[in-house]
């Protein structure tokens, strides 16, 4: 007589059936995030690094009113994209809560301080450099495969939305970190940008080789206009010239390489988001977007609140909704919402070859 299955076996069968039934609903909305502090949702909380946002007043406007590791007063760009997709945001990959069906929502691999290059952010010591983020992506797929099988995992990754945000730190925390930095002695700025783009191309193709088929790639913002650079390099409140030059060189070349990669693949895998233009809109005309300033950070100290870290001892504005910048480098939640609005519905001035709403509509019909 056959032995009846144990409760544990029955539970695993039921869980497997549940996941298989729900995979079609969830998989089109799986969201995978790679990059730096603009999109890190808390991975650095689990690392021995100074690049962290796990103390007040970070998170002051987050639903929990507590710091989460996001470099924001509230929601960051992945959170707001997730809201627009009707899904919960993916958890940080290092979070112990990222298990079971939470894996099917996706994962956030981003880590504050990282860049395209391995030597970017060395002063932050233990951060998840992009090569390790990609290794974790492979590990993630193995974990999902153990839950739902290899075929369903391939389907989930194939239909997932991927967001990658890199490049800013390669200038701010590498080339321009100190006068006569190693990279600035090795390369002129135009040659450094070419080198960055060639290295970024390898990262993007690795993502593709690992199964990513819808990849949203953001350029850098106008790096010379953030409060930190106004405080340290700007003159009379004007954006820092050299960093603006870097943005102006980097972003068009990134856009060109995305188009070349799409042509080579024969599909629109890589979608470019012109973050520089999105920022320029509210930096040049803050009042039109409900901001009282696009120069002074809400949280910080020194000129433009642009020096040092945002801490409990810093100046803190009472109304975050009227500041374009939360801290010396990062947009406020309000600014992040404006950026995501253009990602979702913006014209080809902002999104190439199409916006995210169009992609999601096309994919839902496929």
């Amino acid at each position: 007589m056959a032995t009846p299955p144990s409760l544990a076996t029955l539970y695993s069968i039921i869980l497997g059936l549940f996941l298989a039934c729900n995979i079609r609903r969830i998989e089109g909305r799986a969201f995978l995030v790679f990059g730096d502090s603009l999109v890190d949702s808390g991975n650095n909380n689990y690392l021995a690094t100074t690049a962290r946002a796990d103390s007040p007043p970070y998170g002051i406007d987050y639903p929990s009113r507590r710091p989460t590791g996001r470099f924001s007063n509230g929601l960051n760009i992945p959170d707001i994209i997730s809201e627009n997709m009707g899904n919960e945001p993916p958890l940080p990959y290092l979070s112990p809560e990222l298990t079971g069906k939470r894996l099917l929502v996706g994962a956030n691999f981003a880590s504050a301080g990282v860049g395209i290059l391995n030597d970017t952010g060395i002063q932050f010591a233990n951060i998840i450099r992009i090569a390790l983020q990609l290794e974790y992506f492979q590990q993630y797929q193995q974990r999902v495969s153990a839950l739902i099988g290899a075929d369903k995992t391939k389907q989930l990754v194939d239909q997932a939305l991927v967001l990658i945000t890199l490049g800013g730190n390669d200038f701010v925390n590498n080339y321009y970190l100190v006068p006569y930095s190693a990279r600035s002695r090795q390369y002129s700025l135009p040659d450094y940008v070419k080198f960055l783009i060639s290295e970024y191309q390898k990262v993007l193709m690795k993502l593709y080789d690992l199964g990513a088929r819808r990849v949203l790639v953001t350029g850098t913002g106008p790096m010379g206009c953030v409060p930190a650079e106004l405080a340290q390099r700007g003159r009379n409140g004007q954006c820092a010239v050299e960093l603006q030059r870097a943005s102006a060189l980097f972003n068009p070349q990134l856009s060109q390489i995305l188009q070349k990669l799409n042509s080579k693949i024969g599909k629109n895998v890589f979608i470019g988001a012109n973050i520089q233009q999105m920022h320029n809109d509210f930096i040049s005309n803050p009042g039109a977007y409900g901001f009282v300033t696009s120069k002074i950070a809400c949280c910080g100290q020194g000129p433009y609140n642009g020096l040092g870290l945002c801490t409990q001892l810093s100046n803190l504005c009472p109304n975050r909704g009227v500041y374009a910048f939360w801290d010396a480098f990062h947009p406020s939640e309000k600014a992040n919402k404006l950026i995501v609005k253009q990602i979702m519905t913006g014209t080809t001035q902002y999104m190439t070859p199409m916006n995210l709403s169009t992609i999601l509509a096309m994919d839902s019909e496929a």
Side-chain angles (χ1 to χ4, degrees):
M1 184 175 172
T3 308
S6 67
L7 280 174
T9 304
L10 283 171
Y11 174 77
S12 66
I13 292 168
I14 291 164
L15 178 64
L17 287 169
F18 170 81
L19 293 172
C21 290
N22 280 272
I23 187 68
R24 285 215 61 79
R25 181 177 62 82
I26 295 170
E27 67 193 354
R29 292 186 295 193
F31 189 21
L32 304 162
V33 182
F34 301 84
D36 58 26
S37 59
L38 291 167
V39 293
D40 182 356
S41 292
N43 277 312
N44 282 21
N45 292 1
Y46 304 97
L47 301 170
T49 178
T50 54
R52 55 200 311 120
D54 58 349
S55 4
Y58 284 95
I60 190 171
D61 299 310
Y62 193 74
S64 66
R65 301 290 183 263
R66 296 168 68 96
T68 61
R70 290 162 171 82
F71 285 74
S72 172
N73 57 300
L75 302 179
N76 65 10
I77 287 170
D79 294 326
I80 302 161
I81 290 176
S82 294
E83 273 187 356
N84 277 273
M85 291 168 66
N87 211 354
E88 60 188 293
L91 287 169
Y93 188 67
L94 298 184
S95 169
E97 294 173 31
L98 186 65
T99 58
K101 65 180 183 179
R102 292 299 296 270
L103 284 160
L104 304 186
V105 174
N108 187 320
F109 304 92
S111 177
V114 306
I116 297 162
L117 304 182
N118 210 36
D119 56 289
T120 290
I122 49 171
Q123 71 273 30
F124 301 127
N126 190 20
I127 50 180
I128 314 171
R129 302 186 190 287
I130 192 61
L132 184 54
Q133 290 185 33
L134 295 173
E135 280 182 42
Y136 282 160
F137 181 31
Q138 289 176 279
Q139 192 181 91
Y140 164 83
Q141 292 187 52
Q142 291 162 4
R143 291 173 66 189
V144 173
S145 194
L147 270 179
I148 60 174
D151 289 347
K152 294 280 187 189
T153 300
K154 184 179 182 304
Q155 192 181 353
L156 181 143
V157 172
D158 189 67
Q159 296 179 359
L161 175 68
V162 177
L163 169 66
I164 184 164
T165 296
L166 287 173
N169 284 321
D170 294 289
F171 296 101
V172 172
N173 283 309
N174 192 330
Y175 195 84
Y176 291 111
L177 179 63
V178 291
Y180 309 107
S181 67
R183 288 296 190 186
S184 69
R185 281 181 278 119
Q186 182 183 10
Y187 292 105
S188 68
L189 181 61
D191 287 342
Y192 183 64
V193 169
K194 283 177 191 167
F195 174 56
L196 283 181
I197 294 292
S198 70
E199 292 300 301
Y200 204 176
Q201 183 174 348
K202 294 173 192 173
V203 170
L204 295 173
M205 283 311 296
K206 177 73 171 173
L207 260 180
Y208 179 78
D209 292 342
L210 291 173
R213 292 297 179 266
R214 283 293 191 201
V215 184
L216 183 60
V217 184
T218 71
T220 72
M223 294 181 286
C225 300
V226 301
E229 300 306 335
L230 292 180
Q232 294 173 64
R233 292 188 175 88
R235 291 187 179 177
N236 303 318
Q238 298 302 305
C239 301
V241 173
E242 272 298 288
L243 277 150
Q244 287 299 88
R245 184 170 163 241
S247 300
L249 286 167
F250 179 83
N251 289 313
Q253 289 184 47
L254 177 60
S255 183
Q256 286 169 12
I257 211 71
L258 298 183
Q259 291 171 41
K260 281 184 184 173
L261 290 175
N262 285 339
S263 296
K264 180 180 169 185
I265 293 163
K267 287 182 183 172
N268 288 323
V269 170
F270 298 103
I271 312 300
N274 188 344
I275 298 290
Q276 183 172 10
Q277 184 58 51
M278 296 174 194
H279 272 89
N280 281 343
D281 288 349
F282 54 77
I283 284 172
S284 59
N285 190 4
Y289 297 88
F291 295 121
V292 295
T293 178
S294 59
K295 294 180 186 291
I296 303 167
C298 169
C299 181
Q301 47 279 314
Y304 307 101
N305 281 342
L307 298 179
L309 302 171
C310 168
T311 71
Q312 285 177 292
L313 300 176
S314 299
N315 302 318
L316 180 66
C317 68
N319 182 359
R320 275 73 63 185
V322 295
Y323 283 72
F325 285 95
W326 158 243
D327 66 11
F329 287 103
H330 303 97
S332 62
E333 178 185 279
K334 165 89 175 282
N336 282 334
K337 286 182 173 176
L338 291 169
I339 290 165
V340 173
K341 184 179 179 186
Q342 293 290 14
I343 288 173
M344 294 303 300
T345 61
T347 64
T348 50
Q349 181 186 4
Y350 301 96
M351 299 296 297
T352 311
M354 67 196 93
N355 61 41
L356 187 50
S357 294
T358 305
I359 291 164
L360 294 175
M362 283 170 53
D363 290 351
S364 68
E365 291 166 8

